[in-house]
Amino acid sequence: YDPNDIMATYGKIPTVRVCNHHNLTDPPVVDLALQKVGARLSYFASMAELFDERRPRIASTIAKLGGFPVDRARMTAGELPAVVRFMKASRHILEHLEESIVIFPQAGITKAGKAGVIEDINDGAILIAERSNVPIIVCGIAGNRRALLKSLTGRSTVTVLVHDVFTPDELPSTSELQDSMQIATQLAHQYHYN
């Protein structure tokens, strides 16, 4: 797929956008990069710890960027109230606000040294896309781990690569999504570091 074609077709409608995750700044960076190829800004699931009332400035900034809290620990443990809250929030964004959502199916930041590897994703993005009847756009990101530090001393670049799209009538299995994310991540790393 040509990323410009994907975003020209799917950038203005509600979608679930999935991407690898290795830095706290990934959500706004992915959004800004996709905006450059025609997408509207989207909402993103963010770890609930960032919305701690002891850090109101951080919480306020994340919310202004489109973040909403998700209790990953409770969701990973399968606690139904946490899962239901996340599904309702996602559905509201996609169906009522008619906006997109960025989800990181790895359910956390990838450890250093494994930035190009996609392991153990969850099926939340697929379930959300299925329930709201929206496409999934698969992206890969590279270079963001050190970009913030480099930006303090000069220019830095981050690569966001739009790799694939799954339409609502052709949604992937979890393993197919993981394979597509792996390819997107490898291509982003290859492009960025070569």
Side-chain angles (χ1 to χ4, degrees):
Y1 291 99
D2 180 318
N4 292 314
D5 291 344
I6 290 175
M7 298 320 293
T9 303
Y10 298 102
K12 303 284 190 226
I13 64 170
T15 59
V16 173
R17 300 167 184 170
V18 298
C19 191
N20 57 306
H21 192 18
H22 54 236
N23 190 291
L24 285 173
T25 61
D26 288 345
V29 168
V30 169
D31 253 2
L32 291 172
L34 294 180
Q35 188 180 26
K36 286 185 176 188
V37 289
R40 294 189 318 213
L41 291 178
S42 60
Y43 290 81
F44 59 91
S46 185
M47 60 186 189
E49 298 89 333
L50 295 174
F51 289 85
D52 188 314
E53 61 190 30
R54 293 172 292 181
R55 298 179 194 95
R57 288 187 185 149
I58 292 173
S60 175
T61 299
I62 292 169
K64 286 177 185 174
L65 291 170
F68 64 95
V70 174
D71 192 330
R72 294 175 307 147
R74 288 191 170 140
M75 285 185 55
T76 302
E79 290 186 24
L80 192 57
V83 173
V84 168
R85 268 193 306 279
F86 176 63
M87 297 299 282
K88 282 184 177 179
S90 300
R91 195 171 199 169
H92 177 75
I93 290 164
L94 293 164
E95 295 179 22
H96 299 287
L97 300 179
E98 297 182 354
E99 298 289 354
S100 292
I101 184 171
V102 176
I103 297 176
F104 300 95
Q106 294 164 281
I109 295 173
T110 305
K111 292 180 175 67
K114 290 195 167 204
V117 178
I118 302 297
E119 297 176 331
D120 302 323
I121 70 166
N122 63 52
D123 62 354
I126 300 164
L127 294 173
I128 290 166
E130 182 178 58
R131 289 190 178 171
S132 293
N133 198 36
V134 299
I136 295 176
I137 295 174
V138 180
C139 304
I141 188 170
N144 203 22
R145 189 180 292 277
R146 294 189 187 106
L148 186 59
L149 291 174
K150 287 182 180 178
S151 70
L152 298 174
T153 60
R155 285 186 69 110
S156 67
T157 59
V158 176
T159 299
V160 176
L161 183 133
V162 178
H163 168 64
D164 207 353
V165 63
F166 293 97
T167 60
D169 55 333
E170 297 175 342
L171 291 175
S173 66
T174 305
S175 63
E176 289 170 331
L177 182 60
Q178 182 168 327
D179 290 346
S180 185
M181 288 179 65
Q182 181 66 56
I183 292 167
T185 302
Q186 287 173 341
L187 289 171
H189 278 255
Q190 191 175 35
Y191 181 82
H192 185 79
Y193 295 109
N194 293 330

